[in-house]
């Protein structure tokens, strides 16, 4: 007898794929050809919308990582931080798509954004919040367990806490690399002194490049080298 592959799930959509993935709703969330002022609105919106989705995952993983870290469950922290780091890497890679839009085309797209600005990105706001949560969890563990980071880095490279520390540095670095790439893409598109939709000159974005979520893990590197007798 032939197996029946008709949809079995509830919800809207012609197939189970459409029903579970909610593709009808998802694909209706971009500007329609009728509403478009410029064809590159689709490119611009998809880069932003997919960034929000990947960052939703990145932050979900980071929130749980913070809970596991406080419980000293390092084996659970590592894979979650790894996923979050990869998500940030993916949104950095997809910034490349914006280099396929010319400055003048973006000039024509920009009125469609109103006063909307990246400062209002829920995904990037959540990255800041969850990054700070994870940072607080890390500082708590270091203080409560009386950990000497210099000793950890010199003598305990096989410990789970060392692996977690390096994963946190990797995550922090990927966020900074997104900022650096975003800055370059913004300058490439609108020029160096141009003011963004929230009144911030593009160049002010460089002030954010040095932000660190885990300053003690960056500092310990300097401490190790300051104590080196090799000059
Ligand atoms: C051609 C593309 C882009 C240009 C020209 C651009 C430009 C700018 C400018 C000028 C600012 C300063 C704030 C303002 O006045 O708006 C800014 C901030 C920001 N933008 Fe973009 N942007 C672009 C793409 C993106 C994308 C794809 C995202 C992803 C969500 C994004 C997220 C952000 C965030 C989060 C900020 C706040 C600063 C930070 O956290 O580093 N931008 N952008």
């Amino acid at each position: 007898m032939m197996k029946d592959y008709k949809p079995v799930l509830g919800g809207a959509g012609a197939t189970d794929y459409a029903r579970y993935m909610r593709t009808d709703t998802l694909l209706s969330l971009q500007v329609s050809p009728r509403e478009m002022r410029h064809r590159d609105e689709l490119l611009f919106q998809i880069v932003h919308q997919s960034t929000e989705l990947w960052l939703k995952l990145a932050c979900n993983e980071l929130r749980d990582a913070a809970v596991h870290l406080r419980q000293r469950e390092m084996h659970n922290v590592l894979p979650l931080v790894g996923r979050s780091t990869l998500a940030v890497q993916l949104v950095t890679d997809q910034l490349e798509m914006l280099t396929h839009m010319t400055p003048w085309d973006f000039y024509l797209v920009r009125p469609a954004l109103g006063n909307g600005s990246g400062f209002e990105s829920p995904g990037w706001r959540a990255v800041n919040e969850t990054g700070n949560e994870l940072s607080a969890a890390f500082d708590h563990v270091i203080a409560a367990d009386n950990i000497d980071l210099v000793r950890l880095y010199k003598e305990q490279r096989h410990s789970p806490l060392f692996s977690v520390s390096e994963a946190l540095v990797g995550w922090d670095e990927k966020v900074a690399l997104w900022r650096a790439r975003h800055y370059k893409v913004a300058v490439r598109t609108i020029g160096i002194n141009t003011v963004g939709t929230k009144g911030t000159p593009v160049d002010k974005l460089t002030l954010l490049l040095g932000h660190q979520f885990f300053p003690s893990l960056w500092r310990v590197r300097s401490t190790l080298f300051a104590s080196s007798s090799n000059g």
Side-chain angles (χ1 to χ4, degrees):
M1 203 172 76
M2 285 275 287
K3 191 169 178 343
D4 186 358
Y5 286 110
K6 282 205 297 285
V8 292
L9 301 177
T15 63
D16 275 345
Y17 182 88
R19 290 179 188 187
Y20 185 70
M21 299 303 170
R22 307 198 188 175
T23 46
D24 291 353
T25 307
L26 185 66
L27 298 174
S28 72
L29 297 177
Q30 295 75 42
V31 62
S32 70
R34 203 166 33 82
E35 297 164 309
M36 266 181 205
R37 299 162 191 238
H38 189 283
R39 66 181 305 289
D40 285 0
E41 275 184 60
L42 186 62
L43 180 154
F44 195 75
Q45 232 176 14
I46 287 179
V47 173
H48 282 78
Q49 288 183 342
S50 50
T51 297
E52 298 299 338
L53 286 177
W54 280 121
L55 293 183
K56 184 173 181 175
L57 178 69
C59 295
N60 187 57
E61 308 310 68
L62 225 54
R63 246 176 243 116
D64 281 358
V67 173
H68 288 299
L69 183 53
R70 281 183 188 272
Q71 291 164 352
R72 318 305 196 261
E73 294 165 353
M74 304 306 172
H75 59 287
N76 287 331
V77 177
L78 271 183
L80 292 170
V81 174
R83 286 183 188 187
S84 183
T85 304
L86 180 56
V88 175
Q89 167 80 58
L90 293 175
V91 302
T92 307
D93 290 348
Q94 69 182 29
L95 286 173
E96 297 312 306
M97 185 55 83
L98 293 165
T99 68
H100 292 259
M101 180 178 60
T102 70
W104 185 247
D105 285 336
F106 181 60
Y107 179 89
L108 299 173
V109 164
R110 200 151 90 147
L113 313 179
N115 291 325
S117 147
F119 278 131
E120 295 159 348
S121 155
W124 279 104
R125 284 182 175 212
V127 166
N128 284 319
E129 276 166 30
T130 53
N132 288 335
E133 267 174 46
L134 192 56
S135 173
F138 181 75
D139 290 346
H140 168 79
V141 169
I142 297 302
D145 297 357
N146 210 10
I147 304 289
D148 175 351
L149 284 180
V150 171
R151 241 190 102 213
L152 180 75
Y153 268 72
K154 275 187 176 170
E155 298 164 15
Q156 294 160 355
R157 71 183 63 182
H158 299 300
S159 73
L161 182 61
F162 179 80
S163 302
V164 164
S165 300
E166 285 298 274
L168 298 178
V169 166
W171 181 86
D172 207 350
E173 189 180 48
K174 288 287 186 229
V175 171
L177 287 172
W178 178 88
R179 288 207 157 111
R181 189 67 193 117
H182 166 263
Y183 167 70
K184 284 293 190 187
V185 169
V187 167
R188 179 186 168 134
T189 308
I190 65 177
I192 204 135
N193 292 318
T194 312
V195 168
T197 46
K198 275 284 181 285
T200 311
V202 177
D203 224 41
K204 281 274 172 350
L205 293 173
T206 55
L207 299 177
L208 294 166
L209 296 183
H211 176 77
Q212 297 171 344
F213 283 92
F214 301 95
S216 60
L217 290 175
W218 295 103
R219 235 178 3 250
V220 68
R221 293 158 149 76
S222 311
T223 310
L224 289 174
F225 279 85
S227 66
S228 151
S229 55
N230 300 331

